[in-house]
């Protein structure tokens, strides 16, 4: 089973600043990685797929990078609605697995 | 609009069974593989099971294999999860999600979830 590890667990950033979230896979997942955003009380929403492609309707301030075992999600200028929990997910091998999440909070 | 709506959750005693459903609308259901993902209160996301577009191929997380069964009825645009021998550790919000092959296959559509509580 592929274990996904996200860091940090909590990230405190001021609005307008840049945030970078990390995700590491226990073995290579190629580019078969997605990022999801989950706001309080809401279902997860797909942000990024195949490591770096934004999903429909996702603002350009969100970008994904990486391949193999190391990945990052960058939000270039944080807006109030971006403070949420972010999950990475690998779909390279069964069972599909999620990271434990990074909570992005207002500094 | 494109949406998934889960139903059937509730409070159930340990060892009992429950079936939850996910109704799809606004898109053609039959070409898509579908997943169940759960989230225990205050915890992260856990993938549970997947079923192929035609219902033939199914995979399960180790934590539910042998107890849960995923199925679908393409004539009714509905996904199911039959949960047997329920445990307290199965308490969670259960989401259904669409698997979009054109996106990796990432989960591009999610329902709002149905809560399952296992308690005596």
């Amino acid at each position: 089973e592929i274990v996904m590890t996200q860091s940090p667990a909590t990230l405190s950033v001021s609005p307008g600043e840049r945030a970078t979230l990390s995700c590491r896979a226990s073995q290579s997942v190629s580019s078969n990685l997605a990022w999801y955003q989950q706001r309080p009380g809401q279902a997860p929403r797909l942000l990024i797929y195949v490591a770096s492609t934004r999903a429909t309707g996702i603002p350009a301030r969100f970008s994904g990078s990486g391949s193999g075992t190391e990945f990052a999600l960058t939000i270039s200028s944080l807006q109030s609605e971006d403070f949420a929990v972010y999950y990475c997910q690998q779909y390279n091998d069964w069972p599909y697995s999620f990271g434990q999440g990074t909570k992005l909070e207002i500094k | 609009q494109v949406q998934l709506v889960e139903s059937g959750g509730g409070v159930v005693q340990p060892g009992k069974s429950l079936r939850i459903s996910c109704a799809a609308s606004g898109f053609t259901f039959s070409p898509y593989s579908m997943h169940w993902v759960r989230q225990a209160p205050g915890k992260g996301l856990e993938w549970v099971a997947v079923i192929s577009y035609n219902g033939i191929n199914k995979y399960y997380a180790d934590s539910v294999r042998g107890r849960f069964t995923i199925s679908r009825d393409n004539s009714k645009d509905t996904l199911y999860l039959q949960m047997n021998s329920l445990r307290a550790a199965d308490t969670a919000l259960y989401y259904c999600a669409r698997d979009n092959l054109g996106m990796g296959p990432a989960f591009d559509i999610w329902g709002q979830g149905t809560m399952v509580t296992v308690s005596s």
Side-chain angles (χ1 to χ4, degrees), chain A residues 1 32 34 36 38 41-46 49-50 55-56 87 89 91 94-100, chain B residues 35 37 39 43-47 50 59-62 95 99 102-108 110-112:
Chain A
E1 176 177 338
N32 295 315
Y36 300 87
Q38 188 176 34
Q42 295 187 15
R45 176 175 72 142
L46 176 65
Y49 60 95
V50 291
T56 304
Y87 295 94
Q89 178 212 23
Y91 43 81
W94 301 108
Y96 289 180
S97 48
F98 292 90
Q100 81 279 18
Chain B
H35 298 255
V37 176
Q39 187 170 35
K43 302 298 184 182
L45 302 172
E46 179 189 13
W47 175 81
V50 61
Y59 296 95
Y60 299 91
D62 288 346
Y95 294 104
D99 175 319
M103 294 182 172
F107 300 174
D108 66 336
W110 295 66
Q112 285 303 302

Side-chain angles (χ1 to χ4, degrees), chain B residues 10 12 14-16 38-41 46 48 63-64 67-68 83-94 114-118:
Chain B
V12 60
K16 299 296 187 181
R38 68 185 181 183
Q39 187 170 35
E46 179 189 13
V48 173
S63 57
V64 306
R67 301 186 299 121
F68 288 13
M83 302 180 289
N84 298 331
S85 303
L86 282 161
R87 307 166 179 168
D90 297 317
T91 294
L93 186 61
Y94 284 74
T114 188
M115 187 68 200
V116 174
T117 302
V118 183

Side-chain angles (χ1 to χ4, degrees), chain A residues 65-89:
Chain A
S65 62
S67 66
T69 61
E70 300 284 344
F71 299 88
L73 174 70
T74 299
I75 311 170
S76 60
S77 178
L78 282 162
Q79 307 297 305
S80 58
E81 62 267 27
D82 300 335
F83 292 95
V85 180
Y86 292 83
Y87 295 94
C88 61
Q89 178 212 23

Side-chain angles (χ1 to χ4, degrees), chain A residues 4-106:
Chain A
M4 307 300 292
T5 302
Q6 292 184 240
S7 61
T10 303
L11 184 60
S12 299
V13 183
S14 300
E17 293 190 341
R18 179 188 191 96
T20 300
L21 290 63
S22 297
C23 175
R24 173 177 292 178
S26 60
Q27 63 190 75
S28 177
V29 298
S30 186
S31 294
N32 295 315
L33 184 114
W35 289 94
Y36 300 87
Q37 176 193 67
Q38 188 176 34
R39 294 170 175 151
Q42 295 187 15
R45 176 175 72 142
L46 176 65
L47 297 176
I48 301 285
Y49 60 95
V50 291
S52 60
T53 302
R54 280 190 303 279
T56 304
I58 301 304
R61 65 180 181 273
F62 290 90
S63 63
S65 62
S67 66
T69 61
E70 300 284 344
F71 299 88
L73 174 70
T74 299
I75 311 170
S76 60
S77 178
L78 282 162
Q79 307 297 305
S80 58
E81 62 267 27
D82 300 335
F83 292 95
V85 180
Y86 292 83
Y87 295 94
C88 61
Q89 178 212 23
Q90 67 82 19
Y91 43 81
N92 189 69
D93 199 7
W94 301 108
Y96 289 180
S97 48
F98 292 90
Q100 81 279 18
T102 290
K103 181 179 181 180
L104 184 55
E105 64 176 28
I106 300 175

